[in-house]
Structures are given as C-alpha cells and as structure tokens.
Amino acid sequence: EKSRVSNSYGISVNSEPWRNSTFWKSKDFLESLQFFSKSAQRYKTITSKNLEDNLTKICPSIKKTRKSELSNRAWGYCLPDIETARSEFEQYLGGTKIEWPNLIEENDQDG
C-alpha cells in the first residue's frame, strides 16, 4: 500500500524545492523540528546529538559537516538529493512505497 505525503514537504528553509544535495544548519534543523512538532520536546530535550543519531538512521547518506558562510562557520548536515533521501526513508520504513509529490511540476506551476 502506498502512503501519500503532503505537498508542503520538500520545501527547504529558503522556500525553494529541495532537489539537489543541500546544507542545513543544525540550528535551523532543530528550530524547524520544534516548529513542526510543538510536543517534540515534551518529555526530553532534543539535542544536536539526538538529531544526528536519528537522521543518520533514517537517511544514512546525511553527513554532519561544518560550512563557512561569509565570515561565519556553522555546523550542519549535508543532505543528499531528494530522490536519495526519499529512497532511504522508504527503506527505513521497511520498504514502504510512498507516493511523493513531484516537486519539479509543482514549482513550474507556481511560476
């Protein structure tokens, strides 16, 4: 059986569709998680280490790295392209096939 994912998924912090490999700051990832799930920290504080452990279970090709932007350096995660991330997530779910939205078609319709 296929699952369906909302069209709002796959949008990065800068509101651009996530297609290629991309970098997300750890801070932004944690803030997005807390915004998405208000009860995420109800019983236990989510730390960068918790986040890293879970992300690498769900999507093994995610790599923690440090990146320089202008004069700032930030820790974060290098995410694979969206198709790799989707495939690894489906494997994490035991091979469940998900009917993912087509981000290219949706972006073209918006413009």
Side-chain angles (χ1 to χ4, degrees):
E1 182 176 327
K2 288 187 177 183
S3 298
R4 179 81 167 98
V5 175
S6 165
N7 293 345
S8 63
Y9 288 90
I11 303 299
S12 65
V13 289
N14 60 6
S15 297
E16 293 295 320
W18 168 24
R19 294 184 185 125
N20 303 314
S21 179
T22 188
F23 177 82
W24 270 34
K25 293 179 187 176
S26 298
K27 176 182 160 258
D28 292 341
F29 228 120
L30 286 168
E31 287 175 0
S32 293
L33 178 61
Q34 291 163 355
F35 177 79
F36 178 75
S37 177
K38 301 292 184 197
S39 63
Q41 297 194 81
R42 186 175 193 176
Y43 301 107
K44 183 178 178 182
T45 301
I46 299 171
T47 65
S48 290
K49 180 67 177 145
N50 299 133
L51 181 63
E52 179 182 0
D53 290 346
N54 286 299
L55 286 175
T56 55
K57 285 179 193 172
I58 294 168
C59 185
S61 51
I62 288 178
K63 302 296 178 212
K64 187 167 185 179
T65 187
R66 195 164 187 182
K67 186 175 179 180
S68 295
E69 293 178 348
L70 301 172
S71 61
N72 298 324
R73 291 177 51 137
W75 281 104
Y77 300 93
C78 185
L79 306 176
D81 63 276
I82 189 69
E83 294 305 320
T84 299
R86 287 173 170 177
S87 175
E88 290 180 356
F89 182 69
E90 289 175 348
Q91 289 303 308
Y92 173 77
L93 295 177
T96 301
K97 288 293 182 194
I98 298 174
E99 187 179 325
W100 298 101
N102 186 331
L103 299 176
I104 294 171
E105 288 178 11
E106 289 175 11
N107 193 43
D108 291 342
Q109 290 174 0
D110 293 341

